[in-house]
Every structure is written in structure tokens, then in C-alpha cells.
């Protein structure tokens, strides 16, 4: 892989199209577009997690600095512009870390954000629908497979059916 050959290891990725994806790096809050034999910076960040909407025209970038989720418009050449902070997750209690460790989008364009208080769910307009509280510490990674949300938390895998994920 290109990143491996450059000595880089992405911490978040979002597939744009066959052979193209967005990635961020552990010690660099920037967003990179990775193509077959190259990669280039397309946004200065901040960024800690990435997800694309269903149309692949909006990139969501979770941050750890402000506990917000930014939206960026995906241009036809893969560049990003129009960064806006329109999704604001519920804040963690004092003393808890403010983290958005992972982002996913379901088949209805709902946004799932793994945060220090649980998996926060937002409708496509950015309104908070609810919080799935943490069963075992803070969630690290989440994924959606079919109608099930999976959450990796402190080395344990949890699942929850998503009854509204049908299209």
C-alpha cells in the first residue's frame, strides 16, 4: 500500500470511489486524498474520523479539538471545500475526554458518531436523534452491517439492531 511504503499508517479512511479514498494520519489532523499511486493533502483539518454520505458529495470529519463534526463538500476532482460545523455532539461530563473516535452513515444518511459518552445518532439535517450509551467504557470503532450497529469498546464487541435502517 502507498501509505505503508511511505511509512504512514492512516487512522481513519472513507472510500470515495474505486481506487480513491480519504484518510487522516495519527499525528497530522489534515485530510488526504489517496489515489492509486499518490496522495495529496485536500484539507488542513482538524480531523480524527471520517465518513461519506450516501451520494459521496459530503465528507463528515469528526474532531477531537472541539467535539464537533464538520461537513466538507466533495468536488468532482476530489478536493474538499466549504468546511462547516453543523453537527454538535452532546458534550461529555467534566473530566471525560471529548472524542469523536469513529463515524458511520447508514442507509438513510443518519450519522453515527462514537463519542466518549456513547454512540450519538444524528438525522441527515444534523439534529441529535439520541445517544446509545456505552455498555463498557468508551467506544473505539463502530460499523454498520445490514441492520446491525457494531461497537468495539475496551476490547469487547457489542451489537445493536437498527430497526429504522431500512430504505
Amino acid at each position: 500500500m502507498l501509505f505503508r511504503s511511505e511509512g504512514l499508517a492512516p487512522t481513519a479512511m472513507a472510500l470515495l470511489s474505486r481506487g480513491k479514498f480519504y484518510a487522516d494520519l495519527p499525528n497530522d489532523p489534515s485530510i488526504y486524498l489517496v489515489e492509486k499511486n499518490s496522495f495529496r493533502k485536500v484539507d488542513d483539518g482538524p480531523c480524527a474520523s471520517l465518513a461519506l454520505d450516501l451520494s459521496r458529495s459530503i465528507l463528515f470529519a469528526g474532531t477531537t479539538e472541539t467535539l464537533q463534526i464538520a461537513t466538507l463538500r466533495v468536488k468532482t476532482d476530489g478536493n474538499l471545500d466549504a468546511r462547516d460545523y453543523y453537527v454538535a455532539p452532546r458534550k461529555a461530563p467534566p473530566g471525560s475526554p471529548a472524542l469523536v473516535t469513529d463515524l458511520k452513515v447508514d442507509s438513510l444518511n443518519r450519522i453515527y458518531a462514537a463519542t466518549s459518552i456513547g454512540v450519538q445518532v444524528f438525522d441527515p439535517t444534523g439534529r441529535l436523534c439520541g445517544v446509545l450509551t456505552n455498555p463498557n467504557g468508551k467506544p473505539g470503532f463502530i460499523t454498520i452491517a445490514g441492520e446491525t450497529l457494531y461497537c468495539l469498546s475496551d476490547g469487547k464487541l457489542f451489537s445493536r439492531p437498527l430497526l429504522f435502517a431500512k430504505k
Side-chain angles (χ1 to χ4, degrees):
M1 168 176 234
L2 179 65
F3 272 116
R4 178 80 62 205
S5 66
E6 298 290 330
L8 305 173
T11 57
M13 295 187 294
L15 180 66
L16 181 60
S17 63
R18 186 177 178 104
K20 287 185 179 181
F21 62 93
Y22 293 105
D24 77 331
L25 302 174
N27 298 316
D28 183 355
S30 302
I31 301 171
Y32 292 86
L33 176 64
V34 180
E35 299 181 79
K36 293 179 182 168
N37 295 315
S38 66
F39 63 96
R40 61 186 163 93
K41 186 186 292 192
V42 291
D43 186 75
D44 290 328
C47 172
S49 52
L50 299 168
L52 283 158
D53 75 336
L54 295 177
S55 68
R56 302 275 192 260
S57 62
I58 300 291
L59 179 69
F60 300 104
T63 69
T64 56
E65 293 180 0
T66 58
L67 191 63
Q68 290 186 328
I69 299 170
T71 58
L72 298 104
R73 182 175 47 205
V74 177
K75 297 169 77 175
T76 55
D77 62 1
N79 286 324
L80 302 172
D81 69 355
R83 178 182 274 268
D84 188 21
Y85 292 96
Y86 91 116
V87 177
R90 186 176 291 165
K91 303 249 184 277
S96 296
L99 301 169
V100 179
T101 57
D102 202 1
L103 289 170
K104 294 295 180 265
V105 175
D106 73 9
S107 63
L108 296 175
N109 251 353
R110 287 187 176 95
I111 306 159
Y112 295 77
T115 70
S116 53
I117 64 168
V119 178
Q120 299 186 41
V121 184
F122 301 90
D123 71 12
T125 66
R127 291 180 300 203
L128 180 66
C129 298
V131 180
L132 307 172
T133 57
N134 293 333
N136 184 33
K138 71 175 180 72
F141 300 99
I142 55 176
T143 195
I144 298 171
E147 297 176 14
T148 305
L149 173 72
Y150 293 93
C151 175
L152 183 61
S153 176
D154 288 339
K156 295 182 180 176
L157 184 64
F158 296 89
S159 65
R160 181 179 182 118
L162 300 176
L163 302 177
F164 53 83
K166 293 182 182 174
K167 212 172 193 183

